[in-house]
Amino acid sequence: MKAMVLNRISSLREYEAPLELVDFPKPVPGKRELLIKVSVCGVCHTELDEIEGRTPPPFFPIILGHQIIGRVEEAGTNISTFKVGDRVGIAWIHSACGKCKHCIEGNDNLCEKFEATGRDTHGGYAEYTTISEDYAFTIPKIFSDQEAAPLLCAGTIGYRSLRLTNMKDGDILGLVGFGASAHLVIQMAKHKHPNSKIFVFARSEGEREFARELGAAWAGDIGENPPEKLNCAIDTTPAWKPIVEALKNLAPGGRLVINAIRKEDIDKDQLLKISYPVHLWHEKEIKSVANESHQDVSEFLELAAAIPIRPEVQV
Ligand SMILES: [Zn+2]
Ligand SMILES: [Zn+2]
């Protein structure tokens, strides 16, 4: 089969085209696995972290890509849920042990044996891939393949981030950075919390304009002061300055959720600007978001169809 593979860790500043188109052995589904013919695969910022080695794959060559839509081409033995021809989605969570405390409590995203699609196993930039039937998701009919792909990481991780903010209706939410995930979060936050105001912080005027179109009550640059303090905030940027700014803008008892698998080191010196009374006092909290659980993906796909969320996609 044809596949785009990553052969080694490299800096994108020095090497702009790290993926290579090759002929690669077609995978064979194991017990309780499905062989999927891929129709689309979404592109995620996390792949830059994989390519540059901030969250490196354990082997090479590897096929990246973790927002996959396809059809079941072949079912391995003991498959009960899916049949040949069914449309399925594959998300960032590829597998977990199923036995540890985290898995039993529904937090398989925190499992020590957590494996990510397109990092720890081959992903979707290929004609075929395989997945355990436990981690294949049925996609609501209202979404086209292209629309559904970004729901599997950008959308689901946004859903988990929003959940971790503990936001209540009427709370003010800040979205710091406005890309793939945040433009879906604003749609779910407005649906779940109709009496809340959402303030968006983004570097480009185009993103701020898009945020206003999607219902942001205010949109400004990172570093600008919002009209009111934030009860909760979600950061989706790769940098540190937005964290320092968001902590400053939090109301007493506010929580900042960092939705980023890794931060880049370029502006790490910004952290020295943290002043205890300005950025942390009054019980302000910081929480990171790690991966996504099986439950997050299923719940979010249902919510996305009910709203319905409309991802903006470029093919
Ligand atoms: Zn992703
Ligand atoms: Zn586990």
Side-chain angles (χ1 to χ4, degrees), residues 82-141:
F82 297 96
K83 58 182 191 313
V84 171
D86 283 353
R87 178 167 80 152
V88 298
I90 304 175
W92 172 247
I93 184 163
H94 196 272
S95 63
C97 84
K99 297 178 196 123
C100 71
K101 168 184 154 64
H102 299 302
C103 283
I104 289 165
E105 289 174 354
N107 296 316
D108 43 359
N109 61 311
L110 301 179
C111 176
E112 203 179 310
K113 299 222 164 67
F114 174 92
E115 286 195 318
T117 308
R119 184 192 62 189
D120 304 315
T121 66
H122 290 305
Y125 297 151
E127 289 181 282
Y128 296 93
T129 192
T130 54
I131 186 74
S132 148
E133 75 164 338
D134 293 338
Y135 285 97
F137 296 91
T138 300
I139 302 296
K141 284 197 177 63

Side-chain angles (χ1 to χ4, degrees), residues 205-218:
E205 180 49 35
E207 287 168 344
R208 296 194 287 264
E209 189 50 49
F210 186 36
R212 288 180 206 110
E213 274 168 34
L214 288 175
W218 173 90

Side-chain angles (χ1 to χ4, degrees), residues 157-262:
I157 289 178
Y159 173 76
R160 184 170 186 86
S161 308
L162 186 59
R163 194 147 71 79
L164 294 185
T165 62
N166 284 342
M167 183 179 182
K168 293 175 221 48
D169 193 25
D171 281 354
I172 296 176
L173 169 68
L175 296 176
V176 186
F178 200 71
S181 186
H183 97 279
L184 301 175
V185 171
I186 195 171
Q187 298 178 57
M188 30 183 141
K190 285 190 72 70
H191 176 84
K192 290 178 78 163
H193 308 298
N195 296 306
S196 284
K197 280 186 240 173
I198 301 166
F199 299 156
V200 170
F201 304 77
R203 280 190 306 182
S204 89
E205 180 49 35
E207 287 168 344
R208 296 194 287 264
E209 189 50 49
F210 186 36
R212 288 180 206 110
E213 274 168 34
L214 288 175
W218 173 90
D221 201 352
I222 287 167
E224 275 186 57
N225 291 325
E228 292 169 76
K229 292 284 184 193
L230 314 169
N231 301 112
C232 47
I234 300 172
D235 163 70
T236 48
T237 70
W240 293 101
K241 182 184 173 190
I243 299 285
V244 177
E245 292 294 327
L247 286 171
K248 185 189 74 188
N249 290 328
L250 281 183
R255 179 184 280 191
L256 168 65
V257 170
I258 303 177
N259 172 5
I261 189 163
R262 292 293 182 270

